[in-house]
Amino acid sequence: MELIKKVIYYKRVITFMLVLNILFLSFSFPSVSIAKEPLLIIREEGEDFNAAVKGITGELKEDFNINEMIAAKSVTIGNIASKMKEVSPKIVILMENRLIDLYRQYQSQLKPSDPVVPSVSLMGVFMGMLIEGMKNATGISYEVPIMTSVMNIRAVFDMPFTKIGVVHREFMTPFIDENRKYCANEKIEVVSYPIPDSGNIESNLKKALKQISSDSKIDAIWIPNDSSLINAQYLRSIWQPFRKSFEKPIIVGIEVLVKPQLKFATFAVVPDHVELGAQAGRLVIDIMDNEWRTDKMGIVLPYSVQKILNYQQSKEIFKLKENFKYKVDKILE
């Protein structure tokens, strides 16, 4: 009995000492609050931009104080300079061609002694050209590779997709040639119809589309996100009339072009904007770990895409696979 009492006593003493040690440690070493780094997002207002910010925030909210500059159409280099001075960001995330270009102009006016804040650009068309000349800059391409688009449309339509026609301006030739190599690995032939970068684009575009129409072996066409080739004017005067006579799928990289009321595109493969933001967030972490340098990062491809189907057009003209609903993210009727 005496032995049991001693055991209980020593257990109580040990427990008491452990409690004292815990209290001592908690008072001796108060919790340390780690300062968050300032980050600035320069973007336009809009649903897609909001989605990208959601992805960025999800990745970076623990390590960064996230500031936003939602730029109006009248925004100037001076406005950007003022915001940069106010926030003093360690890194900047830029969205949309106009604002990326404006930031490039702001950066070009800095003094040689001014620090070069690293930047990550996204949601801009032809990203490589867009950030060319910028210092300490990287970006995520908004163009989904042709192979990715074709592989996804193959999963939806019960049709062959072995020969794809592409009409594009000449400056895109390196991009098309690179995509042609990847497509060849999947037994997809890419036939391009380049038109001059300048001159009478309308006339040259009509000629290229006439050539595409004359090739009966082309299974579909892929259209790049080039506002000089596809805009409101040409949509009415060229593309919609072409659609009426060209009874093959048309693949695009912009969701609005797949809307059934436009009577135009069949299938869109676009970056998932939330995931695009998350990818940008991970790039920011990589840059921070690389002492705020973007050296050798280059332009990266989007990791995740959304597949959007013009169901109204597809069911009338083409043959869909039985399980097509499980292969797309949006069905527009």
Side-chain angles (χ1 to χ4, degrees), residues 17-224:
M17 293 301 293
L18 286 171
V19 170
L20 283 179
N21 282 330
I22 291 168
L23 288 172
F24 173 75
L25 289 170
S26 65
F27 281 110
S28 300
F29 303 97
S31 59
V32 178
S33 177
I34 300 174
K36 295 183 178 182
E37 300 286 8
L39 177 148
L40 176 61
I41 299 171
I42 301 176
R43 67 177 181 97
E44 287 195 350
E45 181 60 89
E47 183 180 341
D48 292 342
F49 299 109
N50 293 339
V53 170
K54 181 179 178 182
I56 292 168
T57 303
E59 289 289 326
L60 300 179
K61 63 183 177 182
E62 298 298 328
D63 300 304
F64 288 85
N65 280 323
I66 299 173
N67 304 270
E68 287 190 77
M69 177 182 180
I70 301 177
K73 296 293 183 186
S74 58
V75 68
T76 64
I77 296 173
N79 297 140
I80 289 178
S82 297
K83 195 67 178 179
M84 291 291 289
K85 185 176 180 181
E86 173 193 334
V87 176
S88 296
K90 291 291 288 187
I91 191 163
V92 179
I93 296 179
L94 307 166
M95 301 187 199
E96 199 270 331
N97 283 48
R98 178 178 65 97
L99 298 177
I100 297 169
D101 185 60
L102 202 61
Y103 184 83
R104 178 175 55 188
Q105 294 177 50
Y106 153 78
Q107 192 186 67
S108 69
Q109 295 182 4
L110 294 175
K111 299 175 183 177
S113 57
D114 290 332
V116 179
V117 178
S119 64
V120 176
S121 295
L122 60 151
M123 299 177 72
V125 180
F126 309 131
M127 186 62 69
M129 296 176 60
L130 199 56
I131 70 170
E132 187 176 357
M134 286 175 64
K135 297 177 182 178
N136 206 10
T138 186
I140 304 172
S141 173
Y142 200 67
E143 283 75 40
V144 175
I146 298 173
M147 185 187 73
T148 302
S149 297
V150 177
M151 294 302 287
N152 278 292
I153 200 172
R154 275 181 171 179
V156 174
F157 290 87
D158 191 9
M159 300 166 57
F161 290 97
T162 58
K163 188 174 183 180
I164 306 299
V166 180
V167 58
H168 62 91
R169 287 193 289 160
E170 285 179 342
F171 79 87
M172 282 194 71
T173 298
F175 174 83
I176 302 301
D177 288 344
E178 184 179 5
N179 274 258
R180 182 180 284 110
K181 295 175 186 176
Y182 295 129
C183 287
N185 293 333
E186 297 296 333
K187 302 190 184 306
I188 301 166
E189 180 185 359
V190 172
V191 182
S192 63
Y193 298 85
I195 66 174
D197 295 334
S198 56
N200 192 329
I201 290 180
E202 182 174 8
S203 174
N204 289 324
L205 177 57
K206 287 179 178 178
K207 290 177 183 176
L209 292 178
K210 188 174 181 180
Q211 287 179 295
I212 289 176
S213 296
S214 66
D215 189 341
S216 60
K217 294 184 179 180
I218 284 180
D219 299 310
I221 65 168
W222 180 90
I223 305 172

